[in-house]
Amino acid sequence: MEREENLELLLTHYTELAPLRAELYRALEVLRSAFSAGGKLLVGGNGGSAADSEHMVGELMKSFAFRRSIPTAVRETLSAQGERGARVAAMLEGALPAIAITGHDALQSAFGNDGDWKFAMAQQVYGYGRAGDVLLAISTSGNSENVLNAAETARALGLKIIALTGKTGGALAKIADVALIVPRQETYRIQELHLPIYHALCLALETAFFGEDANK
């Protein structure tokens, strides 16, 4: 297992996560493989986990720890389109495609009104997901019904599933390809460890894809 600096720093700062070392590296490999193959990440959860979903997408879709360049070919093509294209080229940043399935209020409310809101995340997985993509499903208990519905849909479509959870991991951990079960019981304390985990994963991905102009 190749050592990854950001994950090792996470484990140094949060020693209680040491038992998760192998699963953290597995999660990173699942994500790295998906992005390398042109796939994307779908992320979803409830309440604070919904906020974490949006937060993670924000770290992946633009520069995080350092400025990310866009490919030279794209920059040159934009610049050749004139002054506006050149300004766009100067402002764009490298991105790893990620979608939070917690948003899209019109879709969520329409689906809830016409059917059952517990299946709204599953509907987004069905609409966005393709074989080779990844669903990062966040549930502090591992038993959130709407998250489980999304995970079952992802499994049927051939997506990889990473569970970010706590307590026993619940039903979610049993169907996930990778289960990151933090060793805490209270919801807010579980969430306190979820943030540094997904930050470390985002930093590791940024380094892998954009470090030292990796995508030029």
Side-chain angles (χ1 to χ4, degrees):
M1 186 186 307
E2 184 181 349
R3 179 185 173 89
E4 204 294 315
E5 181 180 356
N6 296 288
L7 294 189
E8 293 301 328
L9 283 172
L10 171 73
L11 296 169
T12 297
H13 293 155
Y14 298 90
T15 55
E16 63 191 295
L17 295 178
L20 276 65
R21 186 176 193 274
E23 288 291 276
L24 284 164
Y25 273 88
R26 286 183 62 204
L28 176 58
E29 184 54 35
V30 165
L31 292 165
R32 188 159 48 193
S33 295
F35 287 131
S36 293
K40 60 184 170 296
L41 174 66
L42 305 178
V43 196
N46 296 303
S49 298
D52 284 331
S53 301
E54 296 279 0
H55 188 164
M56 187 172 186
V57 167
E59 310 297 21
L60 292 172
M61 285 287 290
K62 62 175 293 297
S63 299
F64 181 18
F66 54 82
R67 173 77 183 186
R68 304 176 187 173
S69 298
I70 62 173
T72 300
V74 177
R75 186 168 61 252
E76 290 177 348
T77 300
L78 276 166
S79 297
Q81 294 173 186
E83 183 180 347
R84 184 178 299 278
R87 290 202 304 271
V88 173
M91 292 305 298
L92 287 181
E93 302 174 353
L96 294 170
I99 301 170
I101 57 172
T102 55
H104 310 104
D105 291 345
L107 171 61
Q108 294 266 9
S109 59
F111 199 87
N113 184 62
D114 298 339
D116 185 335
W117 72 271
K118 292 185 178 69
F119 297 89
M121 285 189 190
Q123 180 66 24
Q124 292 197 59
V125 171
Y126 178 74
Y128 292 127
R130 300 291 181 268
D133 291 343
V134 179
L135 171 67
L136 195 152
I138 310 176
S139 170
T140 57
S141 67
N143 293 315
S144 302
E145 188 173 350
N146 59 341
V147 176
L148 289 170
N149 292 336
E152 291 288 5
T153 305
R155 184 163 64 160
L157 294 177
L159 281 71
K160 293 288 188 181
I161 303 167
I162 299 173
L164 185 55
T165 183
K167 301 182 181 180
T168 66
L172 182 60
K174 294 179 175 63
I175 63 174
D177 296 284
V178 181
L180 301 173
I181 308 170
V182 304
R184 291 185 176 179
Q185 299 299 313
E186 302 90 345
T187 296
Y188 74 94
R189 299 203 71 216
I190 294 168
Q191 291 169 335
E192 286 172 354
L193 288 182
H194 282 181
L195 187 149
I197 286 174
Y198 66 73
H199 264 176
L201 290 170
C202 290
L203 286 165
L205 290 165
E206 182 172 64
T207 300
F209 286 95
F210 302 103
E212 297 181 359
D213 297 322
N215 68 340
K216 282 190 174 180

